[in-house]
Amino acid sequence: FFFFFFKKTHRYHNIVHKNKMADATENRKLIAVMGATGLQGGALVKAFHQLGTENFEVRAITRDPEKESAKSLAGKVKEVIKADGDDEESMVKAFEGCYGAFIVSNWWEHLDVRHEMKTLRTCKEAAKKAGVKHVVLSGLEDSRKFVNNAENKDTWKVLDEELGMYVPHIDGKGEVGEEYLADADLPVTLLYTSFYYENFINFGMGPTRQADTDPYGITFPMSDKKLSMVMVEDIGKCACAIFQNKSFIGKTVGVSSENLTCEEIASVFSKVCGQKVTYHAVSPEVYASFGFPGAEELTNMFRFFAENEEEYVEYRTIPEKIMADMGSVTKFEDWVEANKSAFSAFVPSNSSPQEDNSSPTDADSLPKCCVLQ
């Protein structure tokens, strides 16, 4: 009798345990992540995977599930779905059954603001049709709201006459972001991101020089203003935290890892890499004259950052509730230290920063840290 009772009880507990596990899996909220193989989307996938958010699962969205970066997501996400932000039907299917959706766009892929805005609007309609309960849109402010009310408005160069845009890759996101927030049928949180730390590696903005006899430097039209910066991984952690708190629906959340002047940025490079790095503060006109692809776009972007420093930095103060779930952000010095090998070309054999008393002020004498070349 005891043996029979034990077997029956043991079997009962096994069934209950399996049922609880099944319920837990069924009750997990599914989050669709656009750009899952890219920087921001990839950072969000990593955040959900590493932070152990047991109440969530990720559906990775990519245009090409067969590429290696998509295949490498196996084990980190529930599934990988093929969809295209320009194809509403495919996005509806990708969003169906999902509690949340992370939407991100990339102006730099096509250098076409109209295309980017159309893509974002297509994704908005798809999220509504799919019944998504919480959208997190990666966005930025519309510079026109600031510049058009500035006393020096007439000194700004309009880069898109038809749309009146000063910084298309910012303004397009800003305009459509406001449309997202204004749509009563769309539960959305707008996430304002910042200048990536990774730009110092990926887009040639790190210390450079023209010749072996020249000093190393970084060149920006930022004067002495602070630059809000973020490690891409912190964007993922922030978005992950937002999905866990529906009280931020209908609101804007900003994220930055650290705000530093360019002089302070140069000092960090000097300290970590052991080579003196000088900050070359140039005017917007000089920066635009460098002539690399996107020079005028970036000139206006940095000018927008500098002339609206107080508001821009304030908007990227992470709310306490979000920071509590994020745990921490990465300081710039720690990021440079962790990525020191990427700057090895100018790291000397000794560790003491070398002195440099030069202070070039014209375009011809500056090291050409040409972004996007």
Side-chain angles (χ1 to χ4, degrees):
F1 171 79
F2 176 78
F3 179 70
F4 174 76
F5 177 77
F6 174 78
K7 284 183 65 179
K8 200 169 184 179
T9 303
H10 182 67
R11 182 183 176 192
Y12 169 77
H13 282 300
N14 279 341
I15 292 173
V16 171
H17 178 66
K18 289 179 180 179
N19 286 341
K20 284 184 177 180
M21 289 182 65
D23 289 342
T25 301
E26 291 175 3
N27 290 332
R28 287 178 180 171
K29 295 177 179 178
L30 189 60
I31 306 294
V33 178
M34 282 187 69
T37 60
L39 290 176
Q40 291 192 40
L44 179 54
V45 169
K46 182 178 181 180
F48 273 117
H49 183 65
Q50 290 190 338
L51 297 179
T53 49
E54 58 186 23
N55 296 323
F56 294 88
E57 290 181 308
V58 172
R59 173 183 291 170
I61 300 175
T62 179
R63 286 173 293 187
D64 183 8
E66 296 304 314
K67 61 184 179 182
E68 289 305 314
S69 55
K71 291 180 179 179
S72 69
L73 296 175
K76 300 177 184 177
V77 301
K78 180 180 181 181
E79 55 193 354
V80 178
I81 298 292
K82 180 178 181 179
D84 190 323
D86 293 323
D87 181 349
E88 184 176 314
E89 184 179 352
S90 73
M91 292 307 300
V92 171
K93 291 180 180 179
F95 289 154
E96 281 180 344
C98 292
Y99 164 80
F102 178 72
I103 297 176
V104 62
S105 59
N106 182 13
W107 179 87
W108 296 99
E109 182 177 7
H110 301 285
L111 304 180
D112 184 347
V113 69
R114 289 164 183 77
H115 181 228
E116 180 180 36
M117 294 169 74
K118 182 180 179 182
T119 300
L120 290 174
R121 288 168 176 148
T122 296
C123 292
K124 180 167 79 75
E125 294 307 309
K128 289 166 61 177
K129 289 181 180 180
V132 175
K133 301 293 190 298
H134 192 175
V135 171
V136 174
L137 173 66
S138 174
L140 295 163
E141 300 94 326
D142 188 336
S143 74
R144 291 171 294 183
K145 290 189 173 183
F146 296 81
V147 177
N148 288 339
N149 291 314
E151 293 182 359
N152 65 354
K153 173 188 173 183
D154 294 339
T155 68
W156 279 79
K157 183 173 183 178
V158 178
L159 300 185
D160 188 309
E161 293 287 349
E162 182 182 356
L163 298 177
M165 291 183 173
Y166 304 99
V167 196
H169 85 275
I170 288 180
D171 300 343
K173 293 180 181 69
E175 180 175 324
V176 181
E178 291 299 321
E179 294 173 8
Y180 271 63
L181 284 176
D183 194 326
D185 297 322
L186 188 72
V188 62
T189 302
L190 185 57
L191 175 59
Y192 281 166
T193 60
S194 303
F195 179 88
Y196 297 170
Y197 287 165
E198 288 77 4
N199 289 340
F200 288 104
I201 297 174
N202 299 335
F203 292 122
M205 292 183 173
T208 187
R209 61 182 178 179
Q210 287 182 289
D212 291 343
T213 56
D214 292 337
Y216 284 96
I218 56 172
T219 306
F220 292 99
M222 287 288 295
S223 184
D224 60 350
K225 304 300 183 182
K226 288 185 180 295
L227 178 62
S228 283
M229 302 182 292
V230 66
M231 182 179 177
V232 172
E233 188 172 308
D234 288 337
I235 297 177
K237 290 163 61 177
C238 186
C240 182
I242 292 171
F243 278 119
Q244 298 175 66
N245 196 325
K246 62 183 180 181
S247 69
F248 287 98
I249 290 175
K251 298 179 181 179
T252 297
V253 173
V255 59
S256 67
S257 302
E258 192 165 18
N259 307 304
L260 298 174
T261 65
C262 292
E263 192 71 57
E264 291 171 331
I265 291 170
S267 294
V268 169
F269 276 120
S270 297
K271 176 182 178 181
V272 175
C273 298
Q275 177 82 286
K276 176 64 179 178
V277 176
T278 301
Y279 166 45
H280 304 300
V282 299
S283 68
E285 292 76 18
V286 168
Y287 198 82
S289 75
F290 290 159
F292 56 80
E296 290 186 325
E297 176 85 16
L298 291 175
T299 295
N300 278 7
M301 179 191 77
F302 286 122
R303 183 180 178 186
F304 171 60
F305 292 168
E307 293 189 5
N308 300 279
E309 175 198 30
E310 185 176 345
E311 296 94 334
Y312 198 83
V313 170
E314 181 182 351
Y315 290 167
R316 281 152 181 79
T317 301
I318 302 172
E320 290 183 6
K321 290 182 180 178
I322 297 297
M323 181 59 86
D325 286 330
M326 290 177 64
S328 64
V329 293
T330 302
K331 295 298 183 183
F332 183 64
E333 182 175 331
D334 294 332
W335 178 83
V336 175
E337 185 66 50
N339 292 275
K340 191 174 179 179
S341 61
F343 306 104
S344 59
F346 78 97
V347 178
S349 57
N350 60 55
S351 60
S352 300
Q354 299 177 3
E355 292 300 321
D356 168 43
N357 298 316
S358 63
S359 55
T361 56
D362 63 273
D364 291 335
S365 61
L366 288 171
K368 299 297 189 293
C369 53
C370 295
V371 185
L372 301 179
Q373 276 194 327

